[in-house]
Amino acid sequence: MQFTIRRDAETPIYRQIVDQVRAGIATGDLPRGARLPPVRQLALDCGVTRLTVHSAYAELQAEGLLESYVGRGTFVASTAETLPAPSSKEPIAWEGRSIVASLMRHGDRPGIISFVQAFPARETYPVSELEAALHEAMADPDVLGYGHTQGDPLLRAEVATLLAQRGITASPDDLLVTAGAQQAIDLILRAFTAPGDVLLVEEPTYPGVLELATRSGQRVVGIPNDDGALRIHALEAACLAERARLLYLVPTFSNPTGRSLDSPSREAVLRIAARHDLLVVEDDTYGFMPFDRPASPALRSLDVDGRVLTITSFSKMLAPALRLGTVVARGDLLASLATVKGASDLVCSAVLQRALALYLRAGHLPGHSRRTAALYAERRDALLGALERHMPGCTWMLPEGGLNLWLTLPGGIDEAGVANDALAAGVAVTPGAAFFPRRRPHGSFRLSYGALDPDRIEEGIALLARVLQDHLRMQGRVAPFGAGGPLV
Amino acid sequence: MQFTIRRDAETPIYRQIVDQVRAGIATGDLPRGARLPPVRQLALDCGVTRLTVHSAYAELQAEGLLESYVGRGTFVASTAETLPAPSSKEPIAWEGRSIVASLMRHGDRPGIISFVQAFPARETYPVSELEAALHEAMADPDVLGYGHTQGDPLLRAEVATLLAQRGITASPDDLLVTAGAQQAIDLILRAFTAPGDVLLVEEPTYPGVLELATRSGQRVVGIPNDDGALRIHALEAACLAERARLLYLVPTFSNPTGRSLDSPSREAVLRIAARHDLLVVEDDTYGFMPFDRPASPALRSLDVDGRVLTITSFSKMLAPALRLGTVVARGDLLASLATVKGASDLVCSAVLQRALALYLRAGHLPGHSRRTAALYAERRDALLGALERHMPGCTWMLPEGGLNLWLTLPGGIDEAGVANDALAAGVAVTPGAAFFPRRRPHGSFRLSYGALDPDRIEEGIALLARVLQDHLRMQGRVAPFGAGGPLV
C-alpha cells in the first residue's frame, strides 16, 4: 500500500496516515494480518518524523484496527472490520452513519409489522387534555413568541417537581428544556467533547448516541453491560487507557434491553467517574415507565459532585410531537448547554412548553402513566407469550419497563440475514449490530413492541419465527418450536 | 512568551502552537507589533519540524493575527484583537462566543426599551387561526407521533406552493422542514463543512451564522456588502485564496440592514459560485416581508445547477413559537441534510407542522402579510422620523422590508460605550461588531423595531440620542440635533 502525504493540506499529517490506513482496511487493500511498514521506514518514505507515524499507529491501535508485537511489527488486527460484501438481496441500509434515519424509515413501509421504532402507542396520546392545555396556553399571546433559551419557567418548575419522583432534587434553574432526548444528547456532546475525544458507552446502547459520536469524529469505546451488571473492570481499564470525558448510560429500563443497571454498578460508576473526572450522561427517557415494580431512583440521586447530567423526555411517556425533554445539570455545565441550545435552534416552542406545563399542573400525568403502564405491560406479556410459543432456540431478557426487548438468536445465526428475510416476509426488527459502537453483529434483535397491539405482536413473532426456522434449516439445524426461553 | 508543546496530546502540535499564539494575543502577552520567534528557532526550541511551525504561522496569518515581512520576520498584526479592557460600568457581554444567547437575553430586562431582538410584533400573532388549525390537526391523533424526518408532506406541499411567490420552483420532495432558520443554518454547516473550513459571509451579516461557525472551528471570511452591492472582487479574491465551500447571504431584506442585494451582485454571486464550486446559502427569512415594493425574486430562482440552498422561516412572518422553517435543496444535498436533522433532534413537531399546513391551506397568509406589512411600515416610518428629529450626526439605511435598520454613528464614536450607557439609560441596541466575523467595532448599531409601537420607538430614540450627545460632548464635539440623515 502506497501512502500519499499532502503537506499543504489542512489535515495534519498523522491524521492523513490514520485515514489512509483506515480506508485501506475498509476496502480490503490492507487485509487482516497484513503487515504495516515499520515506523522508521514510513517516516523516511513520507519525510515526516517518527513521532508522527507513531501517533498515527497508536491511534489505530487504540481503535482496535492495528496490533503491535514487540520485535515483530505492526499488523492489521485479526478482528478489524472490512466493508461487508454486497448482498444478493436488496440489503437494508442498517449500516453506515445514518442509522437513526434508517430506524425511522424502515418501519414506515406500508403493511409491515414493525418492531423497529421504540414508538409509544398512538391510542395513549392524551389528545383532549393536550388540546385543552394548548387552548389555555394561547390565552397569553406571548406563548407564540420566542420565549427563553433555557425554557419556559413554568415548565421547568413542573418538571423540577416531577423529578422528585426519580429521587432528583432540582430547582427550575437547574433545568434546560430541549427538543427531546436526542437533542439533549447532541447538545451535551457539542458542549463537552471535541473531535477525537473518547466517548464511553455501555454495550448495547442507544444508536442515536453512536450516530452523533461518529458524525462528530469521536471514538466510541463500549463497556459491556451483562444484564444490568456493567463490567466495572472494563470501565476502569478504559478510563486508564483513554482520556475519556463522558460516559453515556441508560441506567433505568435500558434502550435496547428494558433492564436496569444494578446497585453495585451504579455506585461503581459514580466512584470511577469521580476518580477519572468523567461526566456521566444519564438518559432517563424510560425512567417514568415501569411495569411491575417502581423504577430505581435516578443515578443522579446518588451524585454528590454534580457530574451526572440527567435527561428526561416526554416523547415516550406522553407524545413525541411535543418534542420536549429536559437536562438537569450543574450550573456551569447548564450554562454551556444553554449556549449551544441557542446556537442550534434558539429555543423550543414556547406554546408547546406552556401547554405541557399546564397539562402537568392539572395533574393529568399520574393517571396517564397508570393507564399506559397497564397497556404496555399487556403488550410485553403478549410478546413474551409469543416468543415462548414460537421462537426456536432463542433467549430474551424480561423487560421491567420501557418499550423494548432484547432477543438473542441461536448461536451462528446471521442477524442481518434474518432481518432482511423478515422484512421481505412482512416483519421489521432492528439487528443488534445497531446498538454496538463497532456495529458488529451480535446475533441479536431489539424488539420494540409499544406501538403494536397483542394480535399484531403474535402475528409478527410467528412470521419472524418462520424466517428463523428457514435459516436454521439452511444450516442443517432444526430447533423445535418453543425451545427458547427468557434469560431472566 | 514561552511555548509548551505536549507530544502526548491528541491535539496536533501545529494546532498547539496556533492556540498558544492566539491565547497570547487575546490576553495581551503578545501585544500588537510583538515579534514572534523565527520559524527555525521555534522549531528547534520545541523539537518539531520547521514545516509544523510554518503551518501554524501561516494559519495565524490567514486569520489576520500575524503579519510576515520578508527579511524582517513575523509580528502580531497591528489590527489583531486583544481582549477589551474591563469596563468600569457593568459591561454587556456582547463579546465572546455566545452572541446569540446575549442577543436573546439583554432585551429581556424589565423596563428596557429594546431594539435588540428582531422580534415580530406580538399583536400580529394569528392566535385564533392557529388555534383553529391546531384543533383541526388533532382530529388525527397521529400528529402527536414522530412523523417523518423530512417533515410533514402536507406542510411541504403548502410551502412548495408558497415558494412560487419567491420565484422558486420546488416540489414537496425538494424541501426539508427545520426548527426555524437557525437550525437550517446549523444543519447546513454540519452537513457540508468540517472544522478548519472557510465560510464566506457578507459583511455585515446575521450573528447566528458567526456563532455557529466559530463554535465549530471554522474560519469566517467577510465580503463587504456596500448597501446591496457585494464587493465582487473581494469575493473572487477570497475564493482564489481560500478553499471555501459555502457562502452565506441574506440577499433579500438583509439582517442587519433591511436592504437587498442588487441584480448585478446576484448574478455575479452565481457566476463565481459556479466557477469555484461554492454552495450558496440563501437565508430568505425576510423574503416574504416587503414594505413598499415587491421583493426581488429569490437568488435560487436564477440558479441553474442547484448550488443555492434557500432557507424560509415562519418565525418572523407568522409566529416564532411554531419553530418551523424549510430548506430547499438539490436531492443529494437534501438527503445529507435530512440525515443530520435526524441525528440532531429526529423531527420537528408533527402537530405544529400540520397546524401550519392547515393554516396555509385555509388561505390565511396573504391577509396576514398585508396587515403585518402595514404595521411594520408604520413602525419603520416612526423610527425614521425619530432618527431625523433626534440623532446627531448619524446616517442610516432605509429598510425596504424585514424588521431591522442599520444606523451608523458619527466617526470616532465608540459603539460599545454608547450601547452600554444606553442600556443604563433604559434603551438596548445591538453594537455593529456583532455582525462582523472579526467582531471589530464599526461605529454602528442594528435597530430592530418590529416589536415596538411608535411611541416606544420615539421614546427609545430620544433616550439613545441623549446618550450619544453625552459621548460627543465628552469628546469636545457638539453636533446639533437633527444633523444626521438617511443614507439612501
Side-chain angles (χ1 to χ4, degrees):
Chain A
M1 177 172 166
Q2 186 69 42
F3 288 85
T4 313
I5 300 302
R6 288 165 301 125
R7 301 188 162 281
D8 60 338
E10 288 183 10
T11 312
I13 290 169
Y14 96 101
R15 171 67 49 200
Q16 295 183 36
I17 297 172
V18 167
D19 290 347
Q20 289 175 46
V21 171
R22 212 183 266 142
I25 292 172
T27 58
D29 282 358
L30 280 172
R32 289 171 190 165
R35 185 173 177 168
L36 277 283
V39 170
R40 179 187 304 259
Q41 182 63 45
L42 186 56
L44 208 65
D45 290 353
C46 296
V48 300
T49 65
R50 272 181 272 167
L51 182 73
T52 301
V53 177
H54 186 75
S55 304
Y57 281 11
E59 173 160 338
L60 290 159
Q61 215 174 320
E63 287 180 29
L65 291 172
L66 297 184
E67 290 164 350
S68 262
Y69 302 95
V70 176
R72 288 183 50 214
T74 303
F75 303 83
V76 177
S78 55
T79 52
E81 280 171 281
T82 55
L83 284 183
S87 156
S88 57
K89 302 195 183 177
E90 185 207 356
I92 311 184
W94 300 114
E95 309 298 331
R97 303 184 127 202
S98 60
I99 199 125
V100 171
S102 302
L103 289 177
M104 302 295 286
R105 200 166 52 236
H106 283 297
D108 272 353
R109 300 197 188 178
I112 294 284
I113 299 176
S114 176
F115 293 92
V116 166
Q117 302 103 331
F119 284 175
R122 69 199 287 275
E123 50 271 51
T124 65
Y125 300 150
V127 179
S128 59
E129 290 88 348
L130 282 180
E131 199 177 334
L134 279 165
H135 177 74
E136 193 185 341
M138 288 170 83
D140 172 8
D142 273 342
V143 301
L144 288 174
Y146 280 101
H148 299 269
T149 302
Q150 195 179 345
D152 182 17
L154 256 70
L155 177 59
R156 287 187 278 121
E158 288 298 326
V159 176
T161 304
L162 188 63
L163 289 175
Q165 291 178 29
R166 303 286 302 116
I168 294 175
T169 308
S171 86
D173 287 347
D174 302 328
L175 286 164
L176 173 73
V177 179
T178 64
Q182 183 70 21
Q183 186 182 51
I185 300 168
D186 186 31
L187 298 178
I188 290 169
L189 294 186
R190 292 176 88 170
F192 305 123
T193 67
D197 277 2
V198 169
L199 175 72
L200 306 175
V201 300
E202 64 195 324
E203 287 185 331
T205 191
Y206 169 54
V209 72
L210 300 178
E211 165 104 10
L212 281 169
T214 309
R215 287 199 68 85
S216 56
Q218 283 157 18
R219 290 193 296 129
V220 185
V221 175
I223 313 297
N225 178 340
D226 302 325
D227 190 21
L230 200 65
R231 289 226 201 119
I232 297 303
H233 292 303
L235 176 60
E236 185 94 60
C239 288
L240 289 169
E242 317 272 1
R243 289 177 313 156
R245 178 106 180 89
L246 277 179
L247 166 64
Y248 170 88
L249 296 170
V250 189
T252 306
F253 312 137
S254 145
N255 181 356
T257 71
R259 307 281 299 171
S260 297
L261 210 59
D262 60 22
S263 273
S265 297
R266 287 171 187 250
E267 283 159 21
V269 160
L270 291 174
R271 208 167 51 237
I272 293 172
R275 195 178 306 148
H276 297 281
D277 198 18
L278 281 182
L279 294 179
V280 181
V281 183
E282 174 181 41
D283 185 343
D284 200 40
T285 291
Y286 300 97
F288 288 91
M289 300 177 77
F291 292 140
D292 316 300
R293 281 181 310 232
S296 310
L299 193 59
R300 190 179 164 90
S301 69
L302 307 170
D303 175 29
V304 291
D305 47 2
R307 44 180 85 255
V308 179
L309 294 87
T310 300
I311 298 172
T312 298
S313 168
F314 292 91
S315 298
K316 313 292 186 187
M317 68 165 133
L318 220 45
L322 289 170
R323 305 311 306 123
L324 290 173
T326 56
V327 188
V328 192
R330 210 172 60 200
D332 56 332
L333 304 177
L334 200 80
S336 299
L337 290 173
T339 301
V340 184
K341 169 69 183 173
S344 297
D345 61 358
L346 304 183
V347 291
C348 286
S349 168
V351 66
L352 290 181
Q353 290 184 73
R354 183 60 57 84
L356 175 56
L358 295 172
Y359 174 94
L360 294 172
R361 198 166 70 179
H364 293 310
L365 188 63
H368 176 83
S369 296
R370 270 194 306 278
R371 288 188 298 275
T372 53
L375 182 101
Y376 293 132
E378 185 194 352
R379 290 175 178 200
R380 175 201 58 174
D381 293 342
L383 176 58
L384 294 172
L387 292 173
E388 286 186 18
R389 273 188 297 282
H390 301 296
M391 287 303 278
C394 295
T395 54
W396 52 86
M397 291 184 188
L398 186 68
E400 299 168 321
L403 302 169
N404 304 295
L405 176 141
W406 188 249
L407 176 79
T408 300
L409 302 172
I413 290 292
D414 165 28
E415 60 175 44
V418 175
N420 274 329
D421 293 346
L423 193 62
V427 57
V429 297
T430 312
F435 304 90
F436 291 83
R438 298 276 171 88
R439 302 273 163 87
R440 274 195 216 122
H442 279 73
S444 304
F445 294 141
R446 182 186 76 174
L447 302 180
S448 301
Y449 52 88
L452 296 171
D453 67 36
D455 288 349
R456 298 282 280 171
I457 289 173
E458 174 74 17
E459 191 185 345
I461 296 303
L463 279 169
L464 182 62
R466 280 205 285 281
V467 173
L468 179 56
Q469 285 288 2
D470 289 346
H471 275 254
L472 287 167
R473 216 171 284 124
M474 281 189 291
Q475 294 194 357
R477 297 156 66 182
V478 179
F481 277 179
L487 260 185
V488 188
Chain B
M1 176 170 169
Q2 186 69 42
F3 288 85
T4 312
I5 301 302
R6 288 165 301 125
R7 301 187 162 281
D8 60 337
E10 289 183 6
T11 311
I13 289 171
Y14 96 99
R15 171 64 52 201
Q16 295 183 36
I17 297 173
V18 168
D19 290 347
Q20 289 176 45
V21 171
R22 214 184 265 143
I25 292 172
T27 58
D29 282 358
L30 280 171
R32 289 172 189 164
R35 185 172 178 169
L36 277 283
V39 170
R40 179 188 304 258
Q41 182 63 46
L42 185 56
L44 208 64
D45 290 353
C46 296
V48 301
T49 64
R50 270 182 273 167
L51 183 71
T52 301
V53 178
H54 185 76
S55 304
Y57 281 12
E59 174 160 335
L60 290 158
Q61 214 175 323
E63 288 180 27
L65 292 173
L66 297 185
E67 292 164 348
S68 262
Y69 302 96
V70 177
R72 287 183 49 214
T74 303
F75 302 84
V76 176
S78 54
T79 51
E81 280 172 281
T82 55
L83 284 182
S87 159
S88 57
K89 303 197 184 178
E90 185 206 0
I92 312 183
W94 301 113
E95 309 299 331
R97 302 184 126 201
S98 61
I99 200 126
V100 172
S102 302
L103 290 178
M104 302 294 287
R105 201 166 53 237
H106 283 297
D108 273 354
R109 302 197 188 178
I112 294 282
I113 299 176
S114 176
F115 292 92
V116 165
Q117 302 102 330
F119 283 175
R122 68 198 288 276
E123 51 270 50
T124 65
Y125 299 151
V127 179
S128 59
E129 291 88 346
L130 282 180
E131 199 177 336
L134 279 164
H135 177 74
E136 193 183 342
M138 288 171 82
D140 172 8
D142 273 342
V143 300
L144 288 175
Y146 280 101
H148 300 269
T149 302
Q150 195 180 344
D152 182 18
L154 257 69
L155 177 59
R156 287 188 278 121
E158 288 298 327
V159 176
T161 305
L162 189 64
L163 288 176
Q165 292 178 29
R166 304 286 301 118
I168 293 175
T169 309
S171 86
D173 288 347
D174 302 329
L175 287 164
L176 174 73
V177 178
T178 64
Q182 183 69 22
Q183 187 182 51
I185 299 168
D186 187 32
L187 298 178
I188 291 169
L189 293 186
R190 292 176 86 170
F192 305 123
T193 67
D197 276 3
V198 169
L199 175 72
L200 305 175
V201 301
E202 63 194 325
E203 286 184 333
T205 191
Y206 170 53
V209 71
L210 300 178
E211 164 103 10
L212 281 168
T214 309
R215 287 199 68 83
S216 56
Q218 284 158 16
R219 289 194 296 130
V220 185
V221 175
I223 312 298
N225 178 340
D226 302 325
D227 189 21
L230 200 65
R231 289 226 202 120
I232 296 304
H233 291 303
L235 175 60
E236 185 95 58
C239 289
L240 289 169
E242 318 273 359
R243 288 176 314 157
R245 177 106 180 90
L246 277 179
L247 166 63
Y248 169 88
L249 296 170
V250 188
T252 306
F253 312 138
S254 145
N255 181 355
T257 70
R259 309 281 299 172
S260 297
L261 210 59
D262 60 22
S263 273
S265 297
R266 287 172 187 250
E267 284 160 20
V269 161
L270 291 174
R271 206 166 52 237
I272 293 171
R275 195 178 305 148
H276 296 280
D277 199 18
L278 281 182
L279 293 179
V280 182
V281 183
E282 173 180 41
D283 184 341
D284 200 40
T285 291
Y286 299 98
F288 287 92
M289 300 177 77
F291 291 140
D292 316 300
R293 281 180 311 229
S296 310
L299 194 60
R300 191 180 163 89
S301 70
L302 306 170
D303 174 29
V304 292
D305 47 2
R307 45 180 84 254
V308 179
L309 295 86
T310 300
I311 299 172
T312 299
S313 168
F314 291 92
S315 297
K316 314 293 186 188
M317 69 166 132
L318 220 44
L322 289 169
R323 305 310 306 126
L324 290 173
T326 57
V327 188
V328 191
R330 212 171 60 200
D332 56 332
L333 304 177
L334 199 81
S336 299
L337 289 173
T339 301
V340 183
K341 168 70 183 172
S344 297
D345 61 358
L346 305 183
V347 292
C348 286
S349 169
V351 66
L352 291 180
Q353 290 185 74
R354 184 60 58 82
L356 175 56
L358 295 172
Y359 173 94
L360 295 172
R361 198 166 71 180
H364 293 309
L365 188 63
H368 176 83
S369 296
R370 269 194 309 277
R371 286 188 299 275
T372 53
L375 182 101
Y376 293 132
E378 184 194 351
R379 290 175 178 198
R380 176 200 59 174
D381 294 342
L383 176 58
L384 294 173
L387 292 173
E388 286 187 20
R389 273 188 297 282
H390 300 296
M391 287 304 278
C394 294
T395 54
W396 52 86
M397 292 185 186
L398 186 67
E400 298 168 320
L403 301 170
N404 305 296
L405 177 140
W406 187 249
L407 177 78
T408 300
L409 301 173
I413 291 292
D414 165 28
E415 60 176 42
V418 175
N420 275 329
D421 293 346
L423 193 62
V427 57
V429 296
T430 312
F435 304 90
F436 291 83
R438 299 276 170 89
R439 301 272 163 87
R440 276 197 215 120
H442 279 72
S444 304
F445 293 141
R446 182 185 76 173
L447 302 180
S448 301
Y449 52 88
L452 295 172
D453 67 37
D455 288 348
R456 298 282 280 171
I457 288 172
E458 173 73 19
E459 192 185 346
I461 296 303
L463 279 169
L464 182 63
R466 279 204 285 279
V467 173
L468 180 56
Q469 284 288 358
D470 290 345
H471 275 255
L472 288 167
R473 216 170 285 126
M474 281 189 289
Q475 294 194 356
R477 296 156 66 183
V478 179
F481 277 0
L487 259 185
V488 189

